[in-house]
């Protein structure tokens, strides 16, 4: 081969190699430019992947982290029940369908727990803190934004459920379910963002100009009403004994609920126990309406609101303990009440009731059962006697 032909062969081979390497070099250059411009931060909008699934955008957690001051109430307990029920459904296999279906249904149910918690916190942080916060009405109104925003997670769960209907054996439905799921996911993101915007708007000074006068009118009425009921209990002498009776009944329910929750291995059954305990707590806190020195004596009406709905961030404040004789009197915590009711003594038509009430305090110390006080009030002839632990 001549030197000229050899040179031409080398040039042709170089051109071929350049053409072969051009594509990967171009791809490398594009990737380098994207990384230099922060391309790693880019993300695509929700879309169907190769398996036909729609990935919902992360939803903000509407439930604050529980604190030591948390109060178990009706809404918070139902919220916990919904969460546990959703988790149970998520782990339940449904024959013939994709596991993603049960996970979607479970996620939808569990997300309602966040809505209930957000609603409870809105009420307890506002109306449940009358006298402790300058604008309780405004605080509760602003909290509706978080409650509405929390429903975005519920809609996202529905989106996952609809999308799961097009997976597995039901994959022929994917052309219909995938677009619907994508639309629901977009709606879920919009609801979550809209709830945050609404909350900020309702917390603005313009709205406070409306809610603040309402709070200024409601606060003294609620505080005065609570003081009046406590004054009646103190003046008549029935405040402490009535509070003691409610405390015994509430304590019995609290202990019974705690026993159910502690011995049950089923989360849903444990939630029932927590609900019973919550009812007992509310009954005990009702005693603060007539006894300023008992549980919930500091702010009886706001505290009762918090106790009813529950809270993950707020507690119920007890009153200042009395310095005189208390519930530990040898005549029983209801002695002054029974003295007022008995009138003529044993001949009084109320003597059976007063006898039961007068012995309520001493009977509860004769046994170690947490519900002994309630059993003693029910009496041995009652069909419920002996049924409680």
């Amino acid at each position: 081969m001549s030197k000229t032909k050899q040179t031409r062969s080398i040039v042709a081979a170089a051109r071929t190699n350049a053409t072969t390497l051009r594509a990967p070099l171009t791809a490398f250059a594009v990737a380098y430019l994207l990384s230099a411009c922060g391309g790693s931060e880019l993300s695509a909008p929700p879309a169907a992947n190769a398996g036909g699934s729609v990935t919902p955008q992360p939803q903000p957690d509407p439930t604050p982290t529980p604190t030591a001051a948390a109060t178990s109430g009706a809404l918070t307990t139902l919220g916990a029940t919904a969460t546990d029920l959703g988790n149970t459904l998520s782990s339940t296999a449904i024959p013939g369908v994709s596991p993603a279906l049960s996970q979607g249904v479970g996620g939808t149910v569990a997300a309602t727990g966040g809505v209930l918690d957000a609603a409870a916190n809105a009420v307890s942080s506002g109306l449940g803190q009358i006298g402790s916060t300058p604008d309780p009405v405004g605080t509760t109104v602003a909290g509706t934004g978080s409650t509405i925003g929390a429903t975005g997670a519920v809609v996202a769960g529905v989106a996952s459920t609809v999308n799961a209907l097009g997976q597995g054996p039901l994959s022929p439905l994917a052309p219909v379910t995938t677009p619907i799921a994508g639309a629901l996911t977009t709606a879920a993101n919009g609801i979550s963002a809209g709830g945050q915007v609404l909350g900020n708007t309702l917390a603005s000074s313009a709205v406070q100009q409306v809610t603040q006068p309402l709070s200024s009118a409601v606060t003294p009425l609620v505080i005065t009403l609570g003081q009046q009921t406590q004054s009646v209990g103190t003046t008549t002498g029935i405040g402490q004994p009535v509070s003691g009776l409610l405390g015994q009944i509430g304590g019995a329910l609290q202990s019974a609920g705690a026993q159910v929750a502690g011995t049950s291995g089923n989360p849903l059954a444990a939630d029932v126990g927590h609900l019973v305990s919550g009812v007992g707590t509310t009954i005990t806190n009702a005693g603060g309406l007539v006894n300023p020195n008992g549980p919930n004596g500091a702010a009886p009406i706001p505290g009762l609101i918090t106790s009813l709905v529950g809270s993950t961030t707020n507690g119920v404040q007890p009153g200042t303990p009395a310095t005189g004789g208390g519930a530990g009197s040898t005549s029983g915590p209801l002695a002054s009440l029974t003295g007022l009711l008995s009138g003529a003594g044993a001949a009084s038509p109320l003597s059976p009731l007063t006898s039961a009430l007068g012995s309520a305090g001493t009977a509860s110390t004769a046994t170690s059962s947490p519900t002994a006080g309630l059993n003693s009030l029910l009496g041995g002839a009652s069909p419920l006697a002996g049924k409680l632990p």
Side-chain angles (χ1 to χ4, degrees), residues 13-289:
R15 288 178 179 177
T16 303
N17 292 337
T19 304
T20 305
L21 294 174
R22 185 175 299 155
L25 286 175
T26 302
F28 175 78
V30 172
Y32 178 80
L33 290 174
L34 285 176
S35 62
C37 296
S40 59
E41 299 294 329
L42 300 177
S43 59
N49 57 25
S53 63
V54 174
T55 303
Q57 294 297 301
Q59 303 296 321
D61 185 5
T63 306
T65 302
T67 64
T71 302
S72 177
L75 288 182
T76 55
T77 304
L78 290 177
T81 303
T83 300
D84 290 336
L85 177 59
N87 293 336
T88 301
L89 292 175
S90 296
S91 59
T92 301
I94 303 177
V97 298
S98 170
L101 181 61
S102 59
Q103 294 172 1
V105 173
T108 303
V109 175
T112 60
V115 178
L116 294 174
D117 281 342
N121 288 327
V123 174
S124 63
S125 298
L127 299 179
Q129 300 298 313
I130 293 178
S132 301
T133 185
D135 188 9
V137 176
T139 302
T140 294
V141 170
T144 58
S146 298
T147 304
I148 293 175
T151 61
V154 179
V155 178
V158 176
S160 298
T161 303
V162 172
N163 184 71
L165 291 174
Q167 297 180 5
L170 301 177
S171 57
L173 297 177
V176 177
T177 59
T178 300
I180 296 177
L184 289 173
T185 300
T186 302
N189 294 332
I191 293 174
S192 298
Q196 183 176 359
V197 173
L198 178 62
N200 294 335
T201 302
L202 294 176
S204 65
S205 58
V207 177
Q208 288 177 355
Q209 291 178 358
V210 178
T211 59
Q212 185 62 67
L214 293 175
S215 297
S216 300
V218 169
T219 297
L221 292 177
V222 172
I223 298 301
T224 301
L225 180 59
Q227 292 174 344
Q228 291 297 325
T229 57
Q230 289 179 341
S231 178
V232 171
T234 302
T235 302
T236 60
I238 66 172
Q240 182 178 349
V242 169
S243 178
L245 173 61
L246 294 175
Q248 286 185 3
I249 297 175
L253 291 175
Q254 289 174 8
S255 299
Q259 187 174 10
V260 172
T263 58
S264 175
N266 188 333
L268 295 177
D271 290 332
V272 174
H274 294 153
L275 180 60
V276 173
S277 296
V279 172
T281 300
T282 301
I283 292 176
T284 298
N285 289 334
L289 293 172

